Each structure stands twice: as structure tokens, then as C-alpha cells.
Amino acid sequence: MSSSDATAGLSNGPKLPPEAARLMRLATYASMATAVILILAKAVAYLLTDSVSMLSTLLDSLLDAAASLVNLLAVRHALTPADREHRFGHGKAEALSGLGQSAFIAGSALFLFFESAGRLVTPQPVVHGAVGIGVMLFSMAMTFVLVLFQRSVIRRTGSIAVSADSLHYVGDIAANLAVLAALILSSQFGWERSDPIFAIGVAFYIILTAWQIARGSFDMLMDREMPDEERQQIRAIVMANPRVRNMHDLRTRRSGPHRFIQFHLEMDPAMRLTEAHELSDEVEAAVLKAFPTAEVIIHEDPEGVNEGRKTFG
């Protein structure tokens, strides 16, 4: 919208296509259902095997369920339209969800580390290893299908909450592979210390995952600029209009699945106000074609005017 449009009345904020909103909700439901099913399967396997590496993956699934529930509620809130108290929408609920998930995940990693350290000092044999191996293969298959679906949703929505959820499910696949190896080495070859050693490795991997999620969420809460590639794309789109003389002071940020883009548009000083308004609308439409969930705010400037304030390009 132009600068005059931005100040008129209550803005409804950027619009997320209904299909994208439906996919985001569906992704949260799929994540929650997967976590619950895997909790039941892994709980039975842990009770039968008494494997600390199986405990590690059970604990991870319990926290997946908790994180997925937080995620589900956050996505529902993030998709709520802008209102008078939240005129830029509720998208940052996704970032808060991401921080909550990272805290859950880091806590589980610390618990797992101390539990595994005790088993490393006093190793215990793994029994009913075949049951544990079967459950891990089933878990990996379910998780792989879920991650494929989540990746599809991320490509179409750009949701940071679904992205965070997918990231720790990808970590689950790697963790499940480690647990599978530990079960085979311990139950089939008698290498009892392989069970806690692999569990400690999973704990460190979980901590790394928590850091990645927290960093992305913190960037959103602090209004970090969009990637340089996307900023360059915005500039190319704006400057492609032959009536645009220049642009400056491009500012961008993300809030959940939405992007906010604002810049100053330089044009012919002799251009009439109605023509300037039409040009702004043309540029806005071109940017929205590339970033359909964005809200674009344009300030019109005559070319060559020195505004006397610091800008960042």
C-alpha cells in the first residue's frame, strides 16, 4: 500500500491464502498424531528392552508431543487475522512457539545425558532386542513420511513453526538410526556400552537442534531482515518498472508466515500526485506477485530529495 493508504483506518494486515492456512493446520495435526502413536510404540519397547537408548527416543517423542501441542496452538493463534490491538497480526506467536520447543528439547537432552552417563558407568544388557529394532524401523518410516509432508507445507507457506517442528523430526530420524545401531550392537553382539554411548550422542544432537530452533525464533522476534537474496529480488522487481527512478531505505521483517516490506520510491519530481499513486500501486502489485503473503508499504519521494536521516539501503 502507499503511505497514504497505510494510515487510513485499520489495516487488515497481510493475507495468507486459505489453502496455505489449511496446510499449516493439517501439518500440526499430523505432527501431533505421529508423536502420540510413536509414544505408545516406544513405551512398550522400552518396558520390554530396558534400553537407555530406547528411553532416549521415547523421551524425545514425549517432548515432540508437547512441542507439537504448543505448535498447534501457536499456529492457530498466528493465523488469527489482525485486530485493533494487534494490527500487524499474530504471526510472532510462531516464534514464541519455537522458543518453547527449544526449551523442551534442551531439557530432554540434559536429562538423557545424565541418565546415559549412569548407564555408561554401570552397563546393563538389552533384552528383547528384536522388539526394539522393529519399533525403531516403524518409527523411522512414520517420521520420514511426516517430514516429507512438512517439507511440502514449508515450501508453500514459509511457516517457521512448521519448519521448527520439521527440523527436530529430521533430528529424530538421525537419533532413531543411532538407537537402531545401539540395539543391534547391544542385543546381537553383546556390546552393552554401545547403548549409553549412542544415547549420549543423541543428547548432543538434540542440543544442537534446540539451538537452531531458538536462533530462528529469536531472529523473528528481533525483526531480523529477510535474506539478502530476497532483498535483492525485491530491488530487481521495483527497478524493473521504467517509471521508477530509484528506491532507498528498504526495510523488511517476518512475522510467522507473513512478510512486511517497506521502502521509499523515487520518481519524477514533476509527476502528478495521481500518477505517483498509480505508479506505487503498480510496484506494490509486482512485489506482491512474488511475495503474496506480504504487506507492502511504499513512501513516494521526488527524485534527488535529501531526507537528512540515516538509512540502511
Side-chain angles (χ1 to χ4, degrees):
M1 64 179 69
S2 65
S3 56
S4 56
D5 295 331
T7 58
L10 175 63
S11 171
N12 291 323
K15 298 293 191 300
L16 190 68
E19 178 64 12
R22 186 187 71 83
L23 285 172
M24 287 175 62
R25 292 190 182 96
L26 190 57
T28 61
Y29 299 151
S31 175
M32 190 71 194
T34 299
V36 170
I37 292 171
L38 294 183
I39 286 170
L40 296 175
K42 291 176 181 179
V44 172
Y46 170 63
L47 292 174
L48 290 175
T49 63
D50 194 33
S51 163
V52 70
S53 59
M54 180 60 71
L55 173 62
S56 74
T57 189
L58 170 60
L59 186 60
D60 193 36
S61 290
L62 283 168
L63 290 160
D64 283 347
S68 294
L69 179 59
V70 172
N71 213 34
L72 188 153
L73 297 175
V75 167
R76 286 188 61 184
H77 192 67
L79 292 175
T80 304
D83 54 38
R84 187 166 295 278
E85 287 73 32
H86 307 89
R87 301 193 183 209
F88 290 96
H90 303 79
K92 287 191 177 180
E94 286 200 47
L96 294 174
S97 167
L99 288 178
Q101 288 187 55
S102 64
F104 278 130
I105 295 169
S108 71
L110 292 175
F111 174 83
L112 176 58
F113 178 82
F114 288 114
E115 181 71 16
S116 302
R119 289 289 185 98
L120 191 61
V121 175
T122 310
Q124 298 181 20
V126 173
V127 294
H128 299 293
V131 174
I133 291 170
V135 168
M136 294 317 301
L137 290 173
F138 169 73
S139 174
M140 289 169 61
M142 279 203 69
T143 305
F144 183 72
V145 171
L146 175 64
V147 168
L148 287 179
F149 175 63
Q150 288 175 323
R151 290 291 175 86
S152 174
V153 173
I154 294 166
R155 283 195 301 271
R156 299 174 67 175
T157 67
S159 169
I160 192 173
V162 177
S163 179
D165 213 28
S166 180
L167 184 60
H168 68 73
Y169 272 110
V170 170
D172 285 354
I173 295 176
N176 290 339
L177 278 171
V179 172
L180 182 62
L183 289 171
I184 292 173
L185 291 173
S186 184
S187 64
Q188 304 299 318
F189 297 95
W191 296 357
E192 295 178 358
R193 279 192 169 85
S194 65
D195 186 36
I197 288 173
F198 275 91
I200 289 173
V202 172
F204 279 113
Y205 190 88
I206 291 173
I207 289 175
L208 177 62
T209 301
W211 166 248
Q212 291 173 326
I213 295 172
R215 185 176 60 183
S217 300
F218 186 75
D219 284 345
M220 179 181 291
L221 290 172
M222 294 301 295
D223 291 332
R224 185 183 178 93
E225 287 284 339
M226 290 163 55
D228 288 341
E229 296 79 11
E230 294 184 346
R231 287 173 54 84
Q232 292 292 344
Q233 183 182 2
I234 294 169
R235 287 186 176 278
I237 292 171
V238 173
M239 297 306 298
N241 191 305
R243 292 196 292 167
V244 172
R245 297 290 180 86
N246 206 347
M247 67 174 293
H248 63 271
D249 204 12
L250 172 61
R251 302 184 185 190
T252 63
R253 66 183 179 91
R254 289 191 58 183
S255 179
H258 307 300
R259 292 175 173 87
F260 293 88
I261 301 169
Q262 62 185 73
F263 53 87
H264 288 220
L265 191 66
E266 297 182 32
M267 54 192 69
D268 184 353
M271 184 178 290
R272 294 185 305 168
L273 178 60
T274 53
E275 293 175 344
H277 183 79
E278 290 171 1
L279 176 56
S280 294
D281 285 347
E282 288 177 13
V283 172
E284 179 186 357
V287 174
L288 286 174
K289 186 175 181 180
F291 301 93
T293 65
E295 179 170 302
V296 181
I297 301 176
I298 301 173
H299 178 82
E300 299 95 349
D301 278 340
E303 183 186 23
V305 172
N306 184 359
E307 297 185 28
R309 63 187 181 88
K310 184 177 180 180
T311 65
F312 297 93

